[in-house]
Amino acid sequence: MSAQRSIVIGGGAFAGLALALALRQGLGNDVPIVVADPALATRPSRDPRATAIVAACRRLFEAIEVWPEVAGEAQPILDMVVTDSRLEDATRPTFLTFAGEVEPGEPFAHMIENRHLIDALVRRAEAADIDLRATAVTSFDSRTDGVDVTLGDGSVIAASLLVAADGARSKLRERAGIATHGWDYDQSGIVVTVGHERDHRGRAEEHFLPAGPFAILPLTGQRSSLVWTEKRSEAARIIALNADEFLGELEQRFGLHLGEIKALDQPRAFPLGYFVARSFIGERLALIGDAAHVIHPIAGQGLNMGLKDVAALAEVVVDAARLGRDLGQADVLDHYQLWRRFDTMAMGLATNSLNLLFSNQSTVLRHVRDIGLGLVDRMPPLKSLFIRQAAGLGGEVPRLLKGEAL
């Protein structure tokens, strides 16, 4: 392997840290890897949210030796039911059910609280001698043979490649002049953790209501994480309610099947939209995760799309290094973009179509989608295909998503 400059990753959340670990594993200690993010100063993490990690991305975390640290905090999703109803309906008929295994003994997804996974990633990065800087990338200057990256503490790093993993409002994407295209949904996702009297038995539920999906996702213990979609103005009204009034709104949607319920943390609302960067690459720059794309949470694929970026970028960079090539040169990054952009566009359009189909008051559309869900439920091969796609195992799968080390 020829001598290489550093790789700098701007952003130290799931995607940035997972990429750093994958690159360290594939490149060894010959290439310095720097992760820069002011949030690294907040230890341990206080992120109250939870995330569904699909099977392919769990395999990635196993390959970079993080999953064993958090497996005890992860709740396997063993079953999933889909309903379609209105708030005032007396019953919620089940139109679609999934048994949650992609392979015998391998659930198609696990739920885990973000703070456990972030803390495990940071600990593993420290053990792998990755240079963690609790500061931001403030500017960069790309040249033919490298990129000079300036950090908030004034230090300048001569790098081969800069990776933007700094989220939906990416300053690095903006500084590179990469535009985005997409739209706002005028919806917000309300996120809250709920405690309940009865055991969920690993069952996830997705109730399609006229305002949008209401997802109940099982956590360890007698707890579930909710992702509750409403019109933006209605979401703002709901999270401003006092505790008793909020509980009333929650019970109306959650139902009584798990006994008494209560909110275990403060509900928060996040605006929902769809956008994709016009390019996933720039001169010696690659975009991953929310810096490259944001999709509707209706299919629970947002974070997992970012981890697919990680797996693809790590593979093309490591393969280039083994051939003695410059890690940040244009054709290496072109390979990454070709691999990821079509899949991202397809998933974005699919989630947008699902949102349009399910988040409305149309009786005609309701009958059409319920017939469709019922047909899928009666076709085991099609259900199996859907499960594999939802688990991230469709199409050309990078090695890390197969659980293979680089």
Side-chain angles (χ1 to χ4, degrees):
M1 185 187 297
S2 62
Q4 300 279 3
R5 294 187 179 91
S6 301
I7 295 175
V8 179
I9 301 168
F14 292 124
L17 290 167
L19 178 65
L21 287 166
L23 291 172
R24 170 61 79 233
Q25 182 187 82
L27 300 173
N29 294 320
D30 294 333
V31 180
I33 298 170
V34 180
V35 178
D37 189 334
L40 291 169
T42 305
R43 300 281 305 280
S45 170
R46 295 194 290 267
D47 190 335
R49 295 170 295 174
T51 298
I53 303 295
V54 300
C57 295
R58 181 193 53 76
R59 293 177 183 183
L60 180 153
F61 285 126
E62 283 187 344
I64 61 175
E65 301 178 13
V66 169
W67 193 254
E69 281 199 51
V70 297
E73 307 288 351
Q75 168 63 50
I77 296 179
L78 303 175
D79 187 19
M80 184 166 184
V81 300
V82 178
T83 76
D84 187 10
S85 60
R86 298 186 181 92
L87 274 180
E88 62 272 16
D89 290 351
T91 61
R92 288 182 180 166
T94 297
F95 287 97
L96 185 58
T97 62
F98 289 109
E101 291 187 337
V102 290
E103 301 288 349
E106 183 180 13
F108 85 90
H110 285 75
M111 285 297 299
I112 187 165
E113 289 155 282
N114 290 8
R115 65 181 188 275
H116 297 311
L117 193 47
I118 285 287
D119 288 345
L121 285 162
V122 171
R123 288 193 298 271
R124 183 77 190 125
E126 290 173 335
D129 201 27
I130 290 165
D131 188 356
L132 301 179
R133 309 276 189 101
T135 186
V137 174
T138 55
S139 64
F140 58 93
D141 182 21
S142 301
R143 303 183 312 280
T144 304
D145 62 344
V147 53
D148 292 329
V149 181
T150 302
L151 304 183
D153 60 9
S155 58
V156 179
I157 300 169
S160 292
L161 174 66
L162 172 61
V163 180
D166 55 338
R169 295 184 176 88
S170 172
K171 297 293 186 186
L172 300 182
R173 182 189 66 226
E174 185 179 307
R175 180 172 284 274
I178 299 174
T180 63
H181 60 84
W183 47 82
D184 184 278
Y185 285 119
D186 191 30
Q187 292 175 314
S188 289
I190 300 172
V191 178
V192 64
T193 304
V194 172
H196 36 76
E197 186 179 4
R198 300 191 189 107
D199 189 352
H200 49 54
R201 302 185 185 278
R203 169 171 284 194
E205 302 176 28
E206 184 124 39
H207 301 298
F208 286 114
L209 301 170
F214 182 88
I216 303 172
L217 304 166
L219 296 174
T220 53
Q222 292 177 202
R223 302 176 304 142
S224 292
S225 175
L226 299 193
V227 182
W228 166 3
T229 304
E230 292 284 350
K231 289 286 188 185
R232 199 160 292 174
S233 58
E234 179 67 0
R237 180 192 72 80
I238 289 170
I239 65 168
L241 297 172
N242 65 39
D244 289 341
E245 291 169 334
F246 178 79
L247 182 61
E249 295 279 357
L250 180 60
E251 287 177 335
Q252 188 179 11
R253 293 159 177 83
F254 195 102
L256 303 172
H257 59 297
L258 293 180
E260 290 187 16
I261 61 172
K262 62 179 178 179
L264 299 179
D265 53 24
Q266 187 66 31
R268 298 194 295 169
F270 298 88
L272 303 180
Y274 164 75
F275 81 78
V276 177
R278 291 190 181 275
S279 174
F280 284 14
I281 60 175
E283 189 177 2
R284 295 194 172 270
L285 174 72
L287 276 56
I288 64 171
D290 286 356
H293 45 74
V294 170
I295 64 174
H296 197 283
I298 193 167
Q301 292 293 318
L303 170 70
N304 295 289
M305 294 292 287
L307 292 172
K308 289 182 182 180
D309 298 342
V310 167
L313 181 59
E315 187 165 323
V316 300
V317 167
V318 169
D319 286 351
R322 288 174 179 155
L323 294 172
R325 300 167 64 197
D326 183 336
L327 306 183
Q329 68 187 42
D331 58 343
V332 174
L333 300 184
D334 281 339
H335 186 186
Y336 162 66
Q337 170 154 265
L338 285 170
W339 199 346
R340 289 300 304 137
R341 203 161 187 281
F342 176 79
D343 179 52
T344 300
M345 293 291 290
M347 180 60 75
L349 292 173
T351 55
N352 182 63
S353 298
L354 284 172
N355 188 48
L356 291 174
L357 179 62
F358 283 98
S359 301
N360 61 71
Q361 301 275 1
S362 169
T363 301
V364 173
L365 277 179
R366 182 181 178 187
H367 287 312
V368 168
R369 68 199 182 212
D370 292 349
I371 291 168
L373 290 172
L375 288 172
V376 171
D377 199 47
R378 290 163 177 78
M379 300 174 70
L382 189 56
K383 286 173 72 172
S384 296
L385 176 64
F386 280 3
I387 287 175
R388 289 195 67 79
Q389 289 289 339
L393 298 172
E396 186 184 356
V397 179
R399 294 197 296 270
L400 284 169
L401 299 185
K402 298 175 186 175
E404 301 170 8
L406 294 176

